[in-house]
Amino acid sequence: MFFIYELCQKIIFHFLNFLCLFIKDKKFKRFVYLRDSKVFQKKISELKFNHNQDIYWFHVASAGEMEQAIPVARRLSTDLKVKFFVTYYSPSAEPFLKNFPEILLAIGLPIDVRKNYQCVINKMQIKKIFFVRYDIWPSLYDVCKKNSLQINLLSASEKKTKNGIMGFISTEWNKRYYKNMDNIFAVSKEDFNYFSKQNTKSKIYLAGDAKWARAFERAKTLSEKKLEKDFSCFISFCLDQKKFMQKKCVVFGSPHKDEHLIAISLCNFSKDYFIIYVPHDVKEENCLKIKKEFENKNSRVVLYSDIIKTLRNNLIDETKTNIDIKYNLEIDKNYQINKNYNVYNLKYNAHFLAEYLNQFEVIIFDKIGYLAEIYEIADAAIIGGGFDGQIHNVLEAAAHATPVLLGNSFHRAREAADLVNSEAAISFQNPNEMFQFLVQWVSLKERGSDSTSHPSIRLNLTRTKTIELFKSIPDTSEIILNALLLQGGEKRNR
């Protein structure tokens, strides 16, 4: 059986290599390169390390699972002083490797052939492997069982990762492995019950989702991330739009068609709103196309890459100048976030003249890697994909206590459902309902303290509920660490 399966793996690899002759896409070529057994085995053979060092193997599918693994690995590294061998399937995980602690070696998972994995175990004497959520490969699993590795499943969930027939096949396929795992760390009570019914040998733990811990960790450590001076000036510019121009800052994170149309329509309320539009695709051609659509609505729009060329020249430092900056400071207390912004090198005494602030109503952020920092200063975040069932990351905004607005097709994303069910996010039945909410936010006056339906009140409640929810999330890393300690063979380093 394995002979036929592994033969198919090799045939598919050679076919992909053949396609590389015609497909010039760099991501595709990188994906195929990572499947190369020769590259994998060469890296393993060249590895030098302390043979007395305990090594754990983490395998993830892509970027999302890598982010879930990081806080767990960090805790295991701190308390057990172990190092890690990390494999991943998608190249999207590679940018996050810099955040993974104590990596001995990180490399793409090759084609699923037992010989590849046996050379790893022979070389490193690995005792434990951690699969994150799914992506369990037959040959890899078989080698781990035959070599008596302790097999752990983190962030385990019954939720399908795919729809339709592929989702059904994936779910049924993985059931055979659930029965013989050593430890399964379930995300929710429903997942705990599901896995308890699937097997009799595994130890099942309710551990929560490490994704929440990672999002909160990133939000808390934002002040330690040294930002570019240009970006720091940009943050000051955005805060001036909020404070002095009395505008609400709305961030559109990876908007799809429906969210995009809302952003375009919001241009009619430019005196009340300052929009930061962060497309999923930041290629120049796409950003210029989006810019043109805003310009067709007579909106004063600019790309981030263009505005940073003029920011420094228009910056006024109150500590170094006697210029009297005159603004109307009667600010609506209900939409201002009363907090010190958690940004490393933000200059609170740096401002811009009103004439310069008035030049821009929409900024299209055409650079990757700063969405979390942008969410930090937003009065509300509108997350793309909520109306078409392809919702993007909601935790990145929520971790900053920024109210999240999204469509009602979010049920495939458990964390989005948890936010909505806990009143820590607001969902809307259709794009028009969301747009009307935004219109009412700036057009309706509050009528007494009992006006709980007013958008300002609802958003403040959402912010409060978000903070409460993050505080109530179980410490996944602590639960996993204690489970390993209780099973013996591990000793906490003090």
Side-chain angles (χ1 to χ4, degrees):
M1 181 67 179
F2 270 104
F3 173 78
I4 297 174
Y5 169 75
E6 293 183 351
L7 179 61
C8 291
Q9 286 279 312
K10 294 175 183 178
I11 292 172
I12 292 171
F13 172 71
H14 289 299
F15 176 69
L16 292 175
N17 260 318
F18 175 74
L19 291 180
C20 285
L21 298 175
F22 308 97
I23 299 176
K24 303 302 180 182
D25 183 78
K26 291 182 179 180
K27 290 183 179 179
F28 179 77
K29 288 181 177 290
R30 180 64 181 170
F31 174 84
V32 177
Y33 175 79
L34 293 177
R35 308 286 82 82
D36 195 327
S37 294
K38 292 182 179 179
V39 173
F40 183 83
Q41 292 182 22
K42 185 173 186 291
K43 290 279 188 180
I44 299 301
S45 65
E46 294 175 346
L47 182 64
K48 296 181 180 179
F49 61 97
N50 180 358
H51 288 269
N52 295 321
Q53 176 73 57
D54 289 333
I55 303 170
Y56 291 173
W57 186 344
F58 269 78
H59 174 66
V60 303
S62 58
E65 291 70 40
M66 179 70 78
E67 283 285 80
Q68 293 176 57
I70 288 172
V72 177
R74 187 168 289 144
R75 187 61 184 273
L76 297 180
S77 172
T78 300
D79 285 61
L80 303 181
K81 303 301 179 185
V82 297
K83 291 189 179 294
F84 302 102
F85 172 61
V86 180
T87 54
Y88 51 91
Y89 192 69
S90 169
S92 67
E94 292 179 328
F96 299 93
L97 288 171
K98 64 181 182 293
N99 300 318
F100 206 104
E102 299 297 332
I103 291 181
L104 191 64
L105 177 65
I107 190 170
L109 192 77
I111 57 173
D112 194 38
V113 176
R114 288 166 295 175
K115 181 180 178 181
N116 289 330
Y117 311 129
Q118 191 60 54
C119 76
V120 173
I121 294 172
N122 291 342
K123 176 86 174 185
M124 300 188 221
Q125 299 298 310
I126 293 172
K127 301 299 182 184
K128 301 181 192 294
I129 185 169
F130 296 83
F131 292 97
V132 183
R133 195 159 173 245
Y134 63 102
D135 209 46
I136 305 167
W137 291 87
S139 292
L140 174 55
Y141 185 89
D142 181 69
V143 170
C144 291
K145 290 302 292 183
K146 288 182 177 178
N147 286 272
S148 301
L149 269 68
Q150 183 191 83
I151 303 177
N152 303 276
L153 181 62
L154 307 184
S155 297
S157 174
E158 67 168 319
K159 184 175 71 66
K160 295 178 181 178
T161 56
K162 299 180 178 67
N163 285 327
I165 186 64
M166 291 305 297
F168 175 79
I169 293 174
S170 175
T171 300
E172 294 302 312
W173 180 269
N174 283 342
K175 282 182 180 179
R176 59 189 297 183
Y177 303 115
Y178 298 151
K179 296 179 180 179
N180 294 298
M181 288 192 169
D182 294 282
N183 298 305
I184 295 179
F185 298 95
V187 169
S188 68
K189 291 181 180 178
E190 293 78 10
D191 295 319
F192 179 88
N193 293 333
Y194 172 80
F195 287 106
S196 296
K197 294 176 182 177
Q198 294 299 319
N199 69 87
T200 56
K201 295 182 180 180
S202 301
K203 293 183 179 179
I204 316 295
Y205 300 87
L206 177 56
D209 195 340
K211 189 185 298 185
W212 291 77
R214 177 58 181 156
F216 196 48
E217 178 187 77
R218 291 182 65 186
K220 289 193 299 182
T221 58
L222 182 58
S223 60
E224 301 170 9
K225 181 179 179 181
K226 190 171 183 179
L227 305 177
E228 299 172 356
K229 290 183 179 180
D230 286 334
F231 184 76
S232 180
C233 290
F234 169 76
I235 294 293
S236 296
F237 174 86
C238 295
L239 293 179
D240 274 8
Q241 290 282 355
K242 287 156 57 76
K243 183 177 180 180
F244 299 125
M245 304 308 288
Q246 302 184 47
K247 291 187 177 184
K248 296 172 173 60
C249 179
V250 177
V251 174
F252 285 80
S254 301
H256 288 202
K257 181 180 178 180
D258 290 313
E259 294 85 11
H260 171 75
L261 293 176
I262 292 172
I264 296 295
S265 299
L266 212 58
C267 292
N268 296 324
F269 298 85
S270 58
K271 67 181 181 65
D272 300 301
Y273 282 110
F274 175 65
I275 297 173
I276 304 177
Y277 189 108
V278 187
H280 185 67
D281 178 6
V282 297
K283 292 179 181 177
E284 182 180 12
E285 180 181 359
N286 184 56
C287 290
L288 290 176
K289 179 182 176 182
I290 296 169
K291 181 173 181 285
K292 184 66 176 177
E293 292 187 55
F294 278 104
E295 289 173 340
N296 290 340
K297 295 284 290 186
N298 297 318
S299 177
R300 296 190 292 273
V301 58
V302 65
L303 300 180
Y304 171 77
S305 57
D306 289 332
I307 194 174
I308 60 172
K309 298 174 184 177
T310 62
L311 279 174
R312 285 200 199 182
N313 294 335
N314 288 275
L315 190 66
I316 299 170
D317 191 332
E318 289 180 343
T319 64
K320 297 180 181 179
T321 181
N322 294 320
I323 295 178
D324 181 22
I325 307 175
K326 297 180 179 179
Y327 298 105
N328 180 2
L329 295 180
E330 294 181 6
I331 300 170
D332 179 1
K333 64 181 179 180
N334 290 305
Y335 80 79
Q336 290 294 330
I337 302 177
N338 296 317
K339 67 177 182 180
N340 290 321
Y341 293 98
N342 188 31
V343 179
Y344 177 84
N345 55 347
L346 175 63
K347 296 178 175 62
Y348 286 95
N349 56 359
H351 298 294
F352 298 86
L353 290 173
E355 291 80 2
Y356 183 71
L357 292 172
N358 275 324
Q359 292 181 27
F360 310 107
E361 301 163 347
V362 179
I363 293 183
I364 299 172
F365 206 86
D366 56 343
K367 186 173 182 178
I368 61 174
Y370 289 96
L371 188 55
E373 289 83 351
I374 295 172
Y375 281 142
E376 172 75 12
I377 62 168
D379 292 312
I382 296 176
I383 311 299
F387 292 107
D388 58 18
Q390 301 295 323
I391 187 76
H392 287 269
N393 190 338
V394 295
L395 292 182
E396 199 165 31
H400 293 271
T402 298
V404 171
L405 311 182
L406 67 163
N408 68 337
S409 298
F410 55 79
H411 300 287
R412 284 186 63 202
R414 183 189 297 274
E415 58 274 13
D418 289 342
L419 287 172
V420 173
N421 293 336
S422 303
E423 299 182 278
I426 303 175
S427 70
F428 300 87
Q429 295 298 313
N430 53 65
N432 183 61
E433 185 181 1
M434 180 184 287
F435 178 69
Q436 291 303 320
F437 178 89
L438 296 170
V439 172
Q440 292 172 12
W441 189 11
V442 297
S443 61
L444 293 182
K445 297 292 183 180
E446 294 181 40
R447 303 180 185 278
S449 59
D450 60 341
S451 56
T452 56
S453 63
H454 191 281
S456 291
I457 303 298
R458 290 184 65 188
L459 289 169
N460 282 334
L461 175 63
T462 298
R463 188 178 299 117
T464 300
K465 293 290 187 179
T466 300
I467 295 171
E468 292 175 355
L469 181 59
F470 269 92
K471 287 182 178 179
S472 69
I473 296 300
D475 189 339
T476 303
S477 301
E478 178 73 12
I479 293 170
I480 294 172
L481 173 65
N482 288 334
L484 297 180
L485 290 171
L486 287 172
Q487 291 170 19
E490 305 293 348
K491 183 178 291 186
R492 190 194 297 259
N493 285 271
R494 296 293 185 182

